[in-house]
Amino acid sequence: KNADVEGKTWLSKLNDDYYPGDIGFDPLGIKPTDGEEFATMATKELQHGRLAMIGAMGMIVQEQVSGAPAILKHLWYYFSSVAEEQTV
C-alpha cells in the first residue's frame, strides 16, 4: 500500500496542484493565471456574496414586518403605471 494515501478516503484525496476553489471550470477564460490575483478575486467574490446575502435578508425582514411582498408590490405598481400610460 502507498503510505501517502493510507487511511484516506476517495473524498479526502487531493491532487498536489489543487488550489481551494479552483475546480477547473472556466468556460469564458476569465480566471487569473497568477495565484495572488486568483486569491484576490476569490476574496472579492466572497465579499460581494456576503453583501448580497445581507441585502436579501433585509428584503425578507421587510416582507415579514410589513406583511406585503416587497418585490411583487413594486413590480405591480410599475407594470400597472406602464399599462395606464399606454391606454391613455
Side-chain angles (χ1 to χ4, degrees), residues 30-76:
I30 58 174
K31 180 189 130 204
T33 55
D34 182 32
E36 186 177 327
E37 183 64 30
F38 182 77
T40 303
M41 188 175 184
T43 302
K44 290 177 183 179
E45 183 178 356
L46 283 172
Q47 296 298 330
H48 287 102
R50 290 174 181 154
L51 186 61
M53 287 188 280
I54 291 170
M57 182 56 79
M59 293 176 70
I60 292 169
V61 169
Q62 175 188 357
E63 287 185 356
Q64 295 298 317
V65 170
S66 68
I71 299 220
L72 292 177
K73 183 170 96 175
H74 296 299
L75 288 175
W76 174 259

Side-chain angles (χ1 to χ4, degrees), residues 2 4-5 8 12-20 22:
N2 189 346
D4 292 337
V5 294
K8 293 184 178 181
S12 63
K13 294 177 192 174
L14 296 177
N15 296 332
D16 291 335
D17 60 346
Y18 175 76
Y19 187 80
D22 183 14

